Amino acid sequence: MNEPVVIVGAGPGGLMLACELALAGVPVTVLDRRTERSHESGGALLHARCVETLKQRGIADRFGDASTPRWNRTHFGLLYIEFDEELGETEFDWLIPQVRTEEILEERALELGVQVLHGQEVTGVEQDAGGVTVTVAAQDGERTVRGAYLVGADGVHSTVARLCGFDYEEFAPAYYGVTADVGDFAGNRDKFVNGLYPGGQLGILPLQPGRIRIMTVEWEDRDVPPGTPVTRDEVLGSVRRLVGTAPDIEEPTWMERNGHATRLVRSYRDGRVLLVGDAAHSHPPSSGNGMVTTLHDAVNLGWKLAAEVLGRAPEGLLDSYDAERRPVGRRACVRAAAQIAIQHPLEKVGPLREFLAGLVEMKAVQRYLVQYVTEVSYAFDLTGVPGEPHELIGRRFPDVRTTRPDGTELTTYEPLAGGRGLVLNLTGKPEALPAVPEHLAGLVEVVTVEPVADLDARVVVVRPDGFIAWADRGEDGDAGFARTLRTWFG
């Protein structure tokens, strides 16, 4: 089997990347070690930045709509932040189980012609100047899969990263935690309270009538090998170590294990092997940034890797994946480690938590804490470009309603659905811009619309990942416009 790109891991990052590559016309094989997907999952939030990305690809309505329940609350180290109307408008989470997110993304990947193979355990990786050979063990025996590139999207205990010798920077040591869904407690539930304890965290979350989720985090790592099944006795033991007593529960209907170091890979790329999501940056689930960083890693990498595979990438394009996304991964790790630092050891951080509780009441502080990882912008090299750079450059492209010269209405996200770049002519006059080179016809869509108040510009050039690479108001902007097209599209 010869495939231009092999992805290991059919989680949100691997599947989103597969969809991005397939949109660009690159064949993809996704290998996943699980024989079947669990019907339950620990993660249940889809952040607003993820929703925006899915809207750009025209598939957000598969996940939810205006009636989808929103979670307008978060925490920083268990100091809780209740969103006001303004913050809740931009930083909400949709309540969608991660397993459902994976199901929808796999359905989309299959629609686009991606091959998704389950029950595939990667046991070896060898890369050379021409590609990567992956050894895979499955029920029908061992075989090899050859690809031009390999992407590890296989989670915090990434087999790809281990086999390829990726090196990591550690921000916080490993912790230990278990999650279990159980029936309601039999008469002793009042003894078990959400919150912070000297040994870690306890969470008791009602999911539905007669069903409760127990979540523990213990700062002392118990060094249980990955993949070891969780047992009822193990759940009870973890709660007992935190609270001093254990709940009276029936056999859990679902359990999973958490626990790993907070760490960041020192490079997202080693030759023809790249990492995405938790394989590159791991942080506790309670830090709340896993899904948004993972999906945006995938969307940032997808169009760049496709251009490389198809032989049309400008110099340095693929390297910009590490340059842009590693700082974001670092911020996620810093934010996670900072939360751990204000929780443990509890007897020493009490005064600090009391002091911070007042700060967290301040609206500006809330926005800073909430957006520390999610509000991303990139600093593009504009050396030699005349004039003052437009303030939109490097920022996320907003979704606003506009009108074509013929009166047809559209939103600015609609032209991004195909995964191509966008030149948005905001003058209402097609002839007002320099012509886009013919060789970019299949890579960049040119759309002319009437001026938009929210976009104070003559033209906006948007990369396929939804970030603005160029904007100008017309004063000496032609040189920068042409240079931007060359830089990102060739």
Side-chain angles (χ1 to χ4, degrees):
M1 182 187 299
N2 293 304
E3 297 289 347
V5 175
V6 177
I7 298 172
V8 178
L15 292 170
M16 190 71 193
L17 176 61
C19 292
E20 293 294 289
L21 291 165
L23 280 174
V26 174
V28 188
T29 292
V30 179
L31 307 173
D32 194 79
R33 63 177 177 78
R34 298 170 295 180
T35 55
E36 61 180 3
R37 183 173 287 110
S38 171
H39 296 296
E40 304 289 347
S41 56
L45 301 178
L46 198 63
H47 187 268
R49 297 294 87 73
C50 298
V51 175
E52 289 170 359
T53 296
L54 297 170
K55 285 181 69 176
Q56 288 173 354
R57 292 298 179 262
I59 58 174
D61 58 353
R62 303 188 185 198
F63 295 80
D65 54 29
S67 66
T68 301
R70 293 189 178 195
W71 185 257
N72 283 343
R73 187 186 194 216
T74 190
H75 72 88
F76 185 81
L78 295 191
L79 296 172
Y80 282 90
I81 300 171
E82 303 286 348
F83 294 173
D84 61 15
E85 184 176 352
E86 181 182 359
L87 194 58
E89 184 66 27
T90 62
E91 302 304 321
F92 64 87
D93 289 280
W94 276 355
L95 285 169
I96 299 176
Q98 180 174 318
V99 63
R100 182 58 184 148
T101 295
E102 293 181 7
E103 289 171 351
I104 296 170
L105 288 176
E106 183 165 335
E107 290 169 2
R108 176 58 173 160
L110 295 174
E111 290 173 5
L112 294 171
V114 173
Q115 185 175 38
V116 182
L117 303 177
H118 294 279
Q120 311 291 308
E121 186 76 30
V122 173
T123 59
V125 175
E126 293 185 10
Q127 67 166 309
D128 52 52
V132 185
T133 301
V134 183
T135 303
V136 180
Q139 286 186 338
D140 57 353
E142 187 175 271
R143 72 182 195 286
T144 60
V145 179
R146 178 75 175 174
Y149 286 87
L150 170 67
V151 180
D154 48 343
V156 296
H157 304 293
S158 171
T159 298
V160 171
R162 175 175 55 81
L163 292 174
C164 295
F166 279 86
D167 187 31
Y168 290 83
E169 172 187 3
E170 185 172 299
F171 290 78
Y175 63 96
Y176 165 86
V178 291
T179 302
D181 289 355
V182 302
D184 207 346
F185 296 179
N188 63 347
R189 182 175 168 185
D190 59 338
K191 296 180 181 179
F192 303 95
V193 180
N194 286 315
L196 190 58
Y197 294 82
Q201 303 172 356
L202 174 65
I204 306 292
L205 178 65
L207 298 179
Q208 59 192 45
R211 182 181 174 206
I212 291 175
R213 175 160 292 176
I214 301 173
M215 299 173 288
T216 71
V217 168
E218 296 183 64
W219 305 127
E220 182 179 346
D221 182 25
R222 307 191 73 79
D223 197 24
V224 181
T228 304
V230 187
T231 66
R232 174 180 178 273
D233 286 344
E234 185 178 359
V235 174
L236 296 177
S238 185
V239 176
R240 187 180 294 113
R241 285 188 295 272
L242 291 174
V243 183
T245 185
D248 182 8
I249 61 172
E250 299 176 353
E251 183 68 24
T253 58
W254 173 80
M255 295 176 283
E256 79 169 4
R257 183 184 312 285
N258 295 300
H260 49 79
T262 299
R263 63 180 193 169
L264 174 68
V265 73
R266 296 189 186 277
S267 174
Y268 280 34
R269 179 187 180 190
D270 176 14
R272 291 180 173 270
V273 182
L274 303 103
L275 300 181
V276 160
D278 290 346
H281 44 81
S282 59
H283 20 86
S286 60
S287 68
N289 297 127
M291 181 72 78
V292 69
T293 50
T294 293
L295 287 184
H296 287 167
D297 284 351
V299 175
N300 184 286
L301 175 60
W303 65 283
K304 298 173 182 179
L305 183 55
E308 190 74 26
V309 169
L310 297 172
R312 52 174 173 74
E315 183 178 357
L317 181 66
L318 189 54
D319 288 333
S320 72
Y321 168 60
D322 177 89
E324 291 178 358
R325 293 306 299 171
R326 191 172 184 277
V328 179
R330 190 177 197 284
R331 290 173 75 87
C333 289
V334 166
R335 188 179 186 276
Q339 292 184 72
I340 295 172
I342 65 169
Q343 297 178 78
H344 178 71
L346 187 57
E347 67 273 12
K348 293 184 178 180
V349 300
L352 175 61
R353 292 181 62 81
E354 185 175 344
F355 176 77
L356 291 176
L359 287 177
V360 171
E361 293 297 318
M362 300 178 183
K363 300 304 181 185
V365 174
Q366 290 180 358
R367 184 167 291 277
Y368 176 79
L369 293 175
V370 171
Q371 295 182 339
Y372 185 76
V373 177
T374 62
E375 193 62 26
V376 174
S377 61
Y378 299 127
F380 300 141
D381 182 11
L382 299 175
T383 304
V385 176
E388 188 70 21
H390 197 292
E391 61 272 13
L392 288 174
I393 296 175
R395 295 169 55 185
R396 291 180 298 107
F397 186 45
D399 185 22
V400 296
R401 185 162 295 280
T402 184
T403 307
R404 297 179 188 269
D406 64 3
T408 306
E409 291 189 352
L410 76 160
T411 69
T412 51
Y413 277 4
E414 289 178 36
L416 294 172
R420 295 181 293 175
L422 169 65
V423 172
L424 189 66
N425 179 349
L426 291 151
T427 69
K429 302 174 182 178
E431 68 278 5
L433 288 185
V436 173
E438 291 184 8
H439 71 277
L440 299 183
L443 308 178
V444 178
E445 183 171 356
V446 181
V447 176
T448 300
V449 297
E450 298 297 336
V452 177
D454 292 337
L455 294 169
D456 179 22
R458 171 191 69 149
V459 61
V460 173
V461 179
V462 186
R463 305 189 318 182
D465 60 349
F467 280 81
I468 297 172
W470 179 255
D472 69 62
R473 296 181 177 90
E475 305 89 352
D476 301 321
D478 289 356
F481 173 71
R483 171 179 159 167
T484 296
L485 294 178
R486 291 194 303 271
T487 298
W488 297 112
F489 301 104

